[in-house]
Amino acid sequence: MKKKKYLIDTTLRDGEQSPGFAFDCSTKTKIATELDKLGIYQIEAGIPAIGKSEKESILKIMENRKNSRISVWNRMNVSDIKHSMDCMPDIIHISAPVSYVQIYSKLKKNKVWLINTLEQCIDFAQSREYTVSVGLEDASRSDITFVNTIIKMLASYGVELVRYADTVGVLTPSQAECVVKEMLTASNISIEIHAHNDLGMAVANSISAARAGVDYIDCTLFGIGERAGNCNLTHFLSASSQCFDFGFSLSKAKAVEQNLRELIIGGGI
Amino acid sequence: MKIIDRTLTTLDSILPNGKLLINLCEKLAECGVDFIEISVPVLLAIGIDNLPKNVNYILHIHSLDEHYAFPQLTRFSCSCCTEENYNQMITQFQVNDIREIQKLRNFQSKNINARIIGLDDIIMHDYRYYFKILQNIFGNNLDICPQNKYGCATAIAVEWAISGGKSVSASYSGIGGFAPLEEVIVALRIKTRRKPNKNLKTLCEIKDIYTKITHSVIPRNKPVLGEGIFVVEAGIHTDGISKNPLTYEPYDPTIIGENRSIVIGKHSGTKSIQMKLAENNIPTSKKEIPSLLKAVQKEITQLGRSLKDEEFLQLYMEVKAHEKEKISD
């Protein structure tokens, strides 16, 4: 029997973040409706903090969805989370940069600050009865001991799902396997793999992580996303459907991609 | 780790002129390829005396006897030779289902240089176990040429190197369904420090020759080669890169002869606007940014895409003029 796995589609967040893409409300809603009909477990619908039109799109997606859970992306601050609450999503996803280059160079903070701020954000969202998932941004370049410290803290807060993000796409399949096993040893929290394709290994890294015990896999339609893109939904299904059950078939996913081709990539990427 | 480039075995049906092929050989040799494998039609188009001298060649032949016709060359590859002691011959085995690997045990006692083509789905299995079996059968004389049916060929090549493999085959942009050479070279540089001082700028220079030969278009997001891979739009990324490029780049784009650039789009924020203006030598005060950002977002929502540089600058002029009017009112 094939093992059950769950797909999280981030076309409307990380996919749209790719330079050149700017989906309007009607486009976002149509994409989300198709993904919802397909049976995608979770749709990452966007970033409410961008502004009014993004919030309107997400509200419309919430209104139309029938099956999928809708999540929205937030930087690690209460202001972003308040914007998200205006959209009443199913899940508030908070992204926490965890590599040293992100903490010390970008945020210009330290690990203690990061953990305290993340705790405050989780607390704020949970106190308003939202389900929270946390993304460990740039996790593939971070210290695994620090990652494990964070996921233990997240487990203590009752966070059910943590995203391991290979933000700059430098993971290899053997590394993916190794870190997933370490994380699963440290905590029984569910893990989601978020792979980028900078070295052409997003699909292989996602497969390797799934084989090692990850139950949630992030994908985008046509593999669109920052720089060289994310894990391509149909490529991933094509490679892994022989081993995993995603609740829908590759042919159905290809049909959805075909329906949305003109809308998303027009003549090509 | 040896890298064999097989691009010139895939061009028989679109054979370009010899000059372009020579140019391609020269550039491939510069970017860290150890052997260039060519087909007989390509060799004849180039002319054996015109082959650039600074690289080693492997001639891909279809029958064992064919190699006698090319005494100037010393290495060959072929699918039909399983005889022992042909030291200059690479014998190819096509393996598209990992269950077929067990059948190769028949060759364990033979002293042959082998190449395994395929292994498309090996990532779905315990690939290190199968790599070990192959190493036990063929020892160090084994080249892996992963095929890319499932988009995993680069990963297979990299894992083969990490597992102690000594030779891997690839092709430029993955032509012919093999692992994309440029991805393998850059991944091995980052993950195993293979040839860390090699100039990889030629990887992108080859693009022009490749597109002339194949009449194909390289997608904007193609790893290593795509023209959009170092374009930044999102505010959070622009901000990060302005502080330290390492935050959101897997490697320095100048390694492959490229540069990062900023486009203004739906996800751009204050920092992106400031950087774009600075890029155009336009001094700004913090006061101007919010109204410009608002105008930018409005325009992008209407257009449904990012702004071209000239559109952004036009918008800037309009906002500035409007602000001046307000002051004079």
Side-chain angles (χ1 to χ4, degrees):
Chain A
M1 201 168 125
K2 290 181 185 176
K3 198 159 179 5
K4 181 81 183 154
K5 301 282 176 186
Y6 303 89
L7 290 178
I8 297 176
D9 186 279
T10 181
T11 307
L12 298 176
R13 202 279 297 174
D14 214 355
E16 195 195 14
Q17 216 163 294
S18 176
F21 291 90
F23 301 140
D24 60 15
C25 181
S26 128
T27 305
K28 284 194 91 143
T29 312
K30 181 151 192 213
I31 294 169
T33 304
E34 290 280 337
L35 292 169
D36 181 66
K37 270 197 275 180
L38 176 64
I40 290 283
Y41 173 76
Q42 187 187 129
I43 298 168
E44 192 170 45
I47 309 171
I50 287 177
K52 196 175 154 220
S53 68
E54 181 81 342
K55 284 185 190 177
E56 282 167 5
S57 304
I58 295 165
L59 281 166
K60 193 85 186 154
I61 290 168
M62 285 298 293
E63 191 184 315
N64 288 356
R65 71 81 193 266
K66 290 192 169 58
N67 306 303
S68 306
R69 303 185 82 198
I70 307 297
S71 62
V72 293
W73 191 93
N74 300 267
R75 287 170 297 186
M76 197 176 54
N77 65 59
V78 169
S79 163
D80 270 25
I81 295 168
K82 282 180 180 167
H83 282 295
S84 286
M85 288 172 177
D86 293 341
C87 302
M88 294 171 289
D90 298 317
I91 299 164
I92 287 190
H93 179 87
I94 302 166
S95 181
V98 293
S99 67
Y100 292 164
V101 69
Q102 295 269 345
I103 298 169
Y104 294 102
S105 292
K106 188 182 79 172
L107 300 175
K108 300 195 185 299
K109 302 287 184 188
N110 57 42
K111 292 195 283 185
V112 175
W113 177 90
L114 184 116
I115 289 177
N116 289 342
T117 310
L118 181 57
E119 282 178 330
Q120 283 164 17
C121 288
I122 295 168
D123 210 25
F124 179 75
Q126 287 183 335
S127 67
R128 277 130 185 105
E129 301 192 341
Y130 278 94
T131 298
V132 171
S133 68
V134 171
L136 305 180
E137 189 181 353
D138 207 13
S140 54
R141 293 191 299 178
S142 66
D143 175 355
I144 187 67
T145 317
F146 184 49
V147 166
N148 284 342
T149 304
I150 293 176
I151 62 173
K152 281 178 190 163
M153 178 274 280
L154 296 176
S156 75
Y157 271 83
V159 172
E160 287 169 14
L161 185 58
V162 61
R163 171 182 292 176
Y164 184 93
D166 179 24
T167 302
V168 294
V170 290
L171 208 56
T172 60
S174 48
Q175 275 180 304
E177 179 188 337
C178 185
V179 292
V180 167
K181 285 181 175 167
E182 290 222 29
M183 287 167 77
L184 290 172
T185 306
S187 161
N188 58 3
I189 202 164
S190 293
I191 306 170
E192 164 190 349
I193 182 76
H194 179 92
H196 276 266
N197 203 35
D198 295 82
L199 299 178
M201 295 194 274
V203 170
N205 288 335
S206 301
I207 290 171
S208 191
R211 278 175 44 79
V214 156
D215 287 330
Y216 299 83
I217 300 102
D218 289 9
C219 293
T220 62
L221 292 162
F222 305 99
I224 62 169
E226 285 284 346
R227 301 179 310 279
N230 290 59
C231 180
N232 181 308
L233 173 71
T234 53
H235 292 183
F236 176 72
L237 286 172
S238 170
S240 63
S241 289
Q242 56 176 304
C243 293
F244 303 128
D245 170 19
F246 300 101
F248 55 86
S249 66
L250 169 64
S251 58
K252 278 191 177 162
K254 279 186 172 171
V256 165
E257 204 173 62
Q258 198 51 39
N259 288 345
L260 296 171
R261 173 173 290 276
E262 188 57 38
L263 201 59
I264 297 177
I265 59 165
I269 294 174
Chain B
M1 180 64 155
K2 281 186 308 191
I3 294 184
I4 302 173
D5 176 77
R6 305 198 69 202
T7 311
L8 292 162
T9 63
T10 67
L11 305 176
D12 292 0
S13 60
I14 46 167
L15 212 54
N17 67 52
K19 204 174 167 189
L20 269 180
L21 292 167
I22 290 170
N23 208 345
L24 182 54
C25 283
E26 287 168 345
K27 295 285 181 193
L28 286 169
E30 284 173 31
C31 67
V33 162
D34 300 286
F35 293 93
I36 295 177
E37 188 167 341
I38 56 177
S39 66
V40 172
V42 164
L43 177 64
L44 296 176
I46 293 175
I48 199 156
D49 295 331
N50 299 326
L51 281 174
K53 306 288 182 224
N54 57 342
V55 67
N56 299 307
Y57 294 94
I58 297 169
L59 182 64
H60 185 71
I61 54 177
H62 293 284
S63 72
L64 195 52
D65 292 343
E66 218 174 346
H67 86 280
Y68 294 116
F70 303 99
Q72 303 94 324
L73 295 176
T74 54
R75 291 182 182 86
F76 301 88
S77 69
C78 182
S79 299
C80 53
C81 173
T82 53
E83 299 295 320
E84 288 182 77
N85 302 322
Y86 272 92
N87 287 334
Q88 73 274 50
M89 187 70 70
I90 297 172
T91 301
Q92 296 189 166
F93 298 93
Q94 182 79 40
V95 178
N96 292 105
D97 183 329
I98 51 144
R99 285 170 295 190
E100 293 164 16
I101 288 175
Q102 302 294 351
K103 293 178 189 165
L104 295 170
R105 287 190 189 279
N106 298 339
F107 298 96
Q108 187 142 17
S109 57
K110 291 191 173 185
N111 180 26
I112 56 176
N113 301 312
R115 165 185 286 156
I116 307 295
I117 303 183
L119 303 175
D120 313 56
D121 67 341
I122 200 168
I123 288 288
M124 282 304 298
H125 304 273
D126 187 352
Y127 55 88
R128 276 169 297 210
Y129 167 74
Y130 288 104
F131 284 160
K132 203 157 260 177
I133 292 179
L134 288 169
Q135 281 161 334
N136 285 339
I137 297 171
F138 296 108
N140 283 335
N141 302 326
L142 177 61
D143 176 65
I144 293 283
C145 178
Q147 286 184 307
N148 211 15
K149 183 177 175 189
Y150 297 117
C152 296
T154 302
I156 297 165
V158 170
E159 287 299 335
W160 173 239
I162 292 169
S163 300
K166 302 289 181 210
S167 174
V168 71
S169 292
S171 63
Y172 193 79
S173 191
I175 189 169
F178 302 128
L181 174 76
E182 64 284 353
E183 292 175 14
V184 174
I185 286 178
V186 173
L188 289 179
R189 164 90 155 243
I190 292 173
K191 306 311 290 189
T192 68
R193 286 189 56 76
R194 180 185 179 271
K195 299 190 179 180
N197 299 317
K198 195 79 191 169
N199 180 357
L200 299 183
K201 288 179 182 167
T202 43
L203 277 177
C204 285
E205 290 169 16
I206 295 172
K207 251 194 294 192
D208 285 344
I209 307 169
Y210 177 81
T211 49
K212 262 185 205 159
I213 291 174
T214 60
H215 304 290
S216 58
V217 177
I218 291 174
R220 277 179 61 76
N221 65 350
K222 168 81 188 66
V224 184
L225 302 180
E227 62 181 38
I229 62 169
F230 288 108
V231 177
V232 193
E233 176 193 299
I236 189 171
H237 289 193
T238 315
D239 179 45
I241 282 173
S242 73
K243 289 169 181 164
N244 180 352
L246 266 179
T247 50
Y248 286 109
E249 283 172 357
Y251 51 91
D252 182 349
T254 59
I255 288 173
I256 54 163
E258 294 293 316
N259 292 302
R260 70 187 64 93
S261 63
I262 300 164
V263 296
I264 300 298
K266 179 176 170 179
H267 300 85
S268 299
T270 306
K271 191 74 192 177
S272 311
I273 301 266
Q274 281 173 329
M275 286 178 74
K276 195 72 196 170
L277 290 169
E279 195 181 286
N280 286 281
N281 300 316
I282 299 172
T284 47
S285 68
K286 278 191 174 174
K287 278 183 190 168
E288 292 171 334
I289 303 291
S291 47
L292 181 55
L293 184 59
K294 207 171 167 184
V296 159
Q297 295 302 350
K298 194 177 166 193
E299 185 75 1
I300 287 163
T301 306
Q302 280 170 3
L303 291 171
R305 59 166 171 80
S306 313
L307 296 182
K308 293 174 186 163
D309 279 8
E310 55 271 26
E311 292 169 334
F312 172 73
L313 292 173
Q314 176 66 33
L315 209 56
Y316 167 73
M317 301 301 279
E318 285 169 19
V319 169
K320 197 160 174 75
H322 184 68
E323 293 290 311
K324 262 189 187 169
E325 263 174 38
K326 272 201 319 198
I327 292 166
S328 59
D329 284 349

